[in-house]
Amino acid sequence: MSELPQAGGESGRDGFETRAIHAGAPHDPVTGAVVPAISLATTFAQSAVGEHRGYEYSRSGNPTRAALEACLADLEGAGHGMAFSSGLAAEHAILSLLGPGDHVIIPGDAYGGTFRLVDRVHQPMGVTYTSARLDSSGVGSDNLAGAWQPTTRMVWVETPSNPLLGVADIAALAEATHARGGILVVDNTFATPYLQQPLALGADIVVHSTTKYLGGHSDVVGGFAATNDHELAERLAFFQNAAGGVPSPFDCFLVLRGVKTLAVRMDRHCASAAAVAGMLEEHPAVSQVLYPGLPGHPGSRVAAHQMRKPGGMVSFVLAGGEPAALEVARSTRLWTLAESLGAVESLIEHPHRMTHASVAASPLAVDPGLLRLSVGLETVSDLIEDLTDALRRAG
Ligand SMILES: *Cc1c(COP(=O)(O)O)cnc(C)c1O
């Protein structure tokens, strides 16, 4: 197995935007190319048996992937980073740290795919789980204490969560988890390392679907996991190579390209999301707006403390329930009705029937009147006008 990827040490002192552009991607020493090559080679010449330049076989290690891993690890303040072929492949690697008899606590409003992976793949292999609400300060750690079992090894949290945008207090959960001898995993997909740094707040592992904001352009599926714990890193890197769920060099290139503009994109996503949330709050057809930047949101205080800004996702409940929600979802012109999130184009979706259909019959089911918005980078007045038109039609 090749060496664990390391974060670019020197660059750790630079600002976030600088590191997003320079970390892990030094100019090509031979040609001076300012972007990393897409290294398609599957195998690498050895000068003598076992003597090579760090690469042997592309599943075990690839130069384009190494550049991506070094960049993202640096942005998360992690010593070690592993890229995967999807967010769920990264999650699968992390959950595979658990064995038969081990117990994991997952959030009550987990991403549907995370719930399905735990419930339908890892539970049949002997892992047990409890779902608990881990958001809202204080309440989260109390619920964690209540869900804890003697066999609990891991706590999994998403913050902000999907689709309810609940905010979990990462530092409080890390403390409560460590006091009981477990490890805390944070899915940082909604926040990105620009808005939130889970490892610095005490989490043991941070995981991403790079399909979302990190890629940022709806053109690549990928995942990433990072940690500062050497032993966990070795086990994750072993799994990455042994199970083989690695991203292609082209996919790695696309995520690296996306990350260079992450900070400027996130600033605009956040500003436009705040404006959209403000409009929805005033709208008579809307009974509830879920956005961590609103003062009335139960997680606003924790969000203000642990996030740079409250993010680009907004969810809301229609006063007219599911029929109104379905009508709005099909009537927008600029907001594309589609799953996924975090890219340049604005998306609208109906979690109950779309992203969260797999949990519809479980305790994690979401309100059928709920719509989720991924606020994109279009002119914000256009977005607001289009959504207002759709709300009028549904009202
Ligand atoms: C999309 C998503 C995932 C899964 O990632 P894929 O790249 O689709 O496999 C996990 N967690 C969150 C919060 C997501 O939004």
Side-chain angles (χ1 to χ4, degrees):
M1 199 179 73
S2 59
E3 273 193 3
L4 287 172
Q6 300 281 339
E10 282 296 301
S11 61
R13 286 194 227 110
D14 293 325
F16 187 92
E17 293 86 343
T18 306
R19 290 183 286 126
I21 292 166
H22 293 286
H27 298 169
D28 186 291
V30 177
T31 64
V34 299
V35 294
I38 301 172
S39 288
L40 293 175
T42 56
T43 189
F44 299 83
Q46 307 194 6
S47 50
V49 174
E51 274 177 35
H52 54 77
R53 301 174 203 184
Y55 299 102
E56 296 158 86
Y57 180 63
S58 208
R59 166 166 38 73
S60 314
N62 169 277
T64 319
R65 195 175 92 214
L68 174 65
E69 291 173 331
C71 178
L72 293 184
D74 192 309
L75 296 183
E76 284 289 2
H80 314 281
M82 277 68 59
F84 291 86
S85 55
S86 69
L88 284 175
E91 295 192 14
H92 182 45
I94 295 166
L95 288 164
S96 297
L97 295 167
L98 303 173
D102 289 344
H103 178 255
V104 56
I105 298 172
I106 61 171
D109 57 350
Y111 172 72
T114 302
F115 172 75
R116 184 176 54 198
L117 178 62
V118 171
D119 184 61
R120 305 270 302 276
V121 177
H122 287 269
Q123 182 172 248
M125 296 193 293
V127 172
T128 58
Y129 73 91
T130 303
S131 65
R133 287 300 294 259
L134 299 174
D135 54 333
S136 303
S137 56
V139 180
S141 340
D142 288 353
N143 289 349
L144 180 134
W148 198 274
Q149 297 185 8
T151 54
T152 305
R153 303 275 175 264
M154 182 183 284
V155 176
W156 190 284
V157 74
E158 254 178 79
T159 181
S161 68
N162 179 16
L164 301 181
L165 301 168
V167 176
D169 187 333
I170 296 172
L173 288 175
E175 202 182 308
T177 301
H178 294 156
R180 292 175 172 79
I183 62 168
L184 179 67
V185 180
V186 175
D187 183 334
N188 204 26
T189 300
F190 273 38
T192 82
Y194 178 61
L195 299 181
Q196 177 171 278
Q197 305 260 303
L199 299 180
L201 291 163
D204 300 280
I205 300 175
V206 59
V207 60
H208 281 279
S209 167
T210 59
T211 315
K212 315 295 167 54
Y213 289 107
L214 296 181
H217 296 75
S218 299
D219 54 11
V220 59
V221 170
F224 178 71
T227 180
N228 276 315
D229 183 306
H230 191 76
E231 196 222 311
L232 290 175
E234 273 187 337
R235 292 172 66 193
L236 291 171
F238 173 82
F239 189 92
Q240 179 194 39
N241 182 51
V246 293
S248 77
F250 185 58
D251 290 355
C252 295
F253 170 84
L254 286 174
V255 177
L256 260 177
R257 185 168 72 160
V259 164
K260 293 180 196 202
T261 55
L262 179 66
V264 286
R265 285 189 286 111
M266 291 314 293
D267 281 339
R268 181 61 71 85
H269 284 300
C270 292
S272 297
V276 169
M279 178 279 282
L280 290 171
E281 268 224 309
E282 301 297 316
H283 204 285
V286 175
S287 60
Q288 195 187 1
V289 184
L290 303 163
Y291 183 62
L294 294 173
H297 187 281
S300 61
R301 199 185 53 78
V302 176
H305 173 71
Q306 76 184 12
M307 297 178 77
R308 192 195 292 255
K309 292 177 180 179
M313 300 296 297
V314 179
S315 292
F316 62 105
V317 182
L318 276 296
E322 184 166 32
L326 295 177
E327 184 60 27
V328 171
R330 67 172 205 90
S331 325
T332 51
R333 178 177 65 90
L334 291 176
W335 299 82
T336 302
L337 177 58
E339 302 197 356
S340 198
L341 62 112
V344 292
E345 61 281 314
S346 292
L347 302 179
I348 186 167
E349 70 113 2
H350 185 251
H352 184 72
R353 292 190 185 218
M354 294 171 66
T355 49
H356 289 63
S358 62
V359 298
S362 80
L364 283 73
V366 294
D367 188 331
L370 184 85
L371 288 173
R372 187 190 76 182
L373 302 174
S374 174
V375 182
L377 303 182
E378 300 92 339
T379 309
V380 66
S381 55
D382 293 341
L383 293 177
I384 288 178
E385 186 182 300
D386 185 38
L387 195 53
T388 312
D389 285 349
L391 284 165
R392 190 179 311 121
R393 251 165 272 153

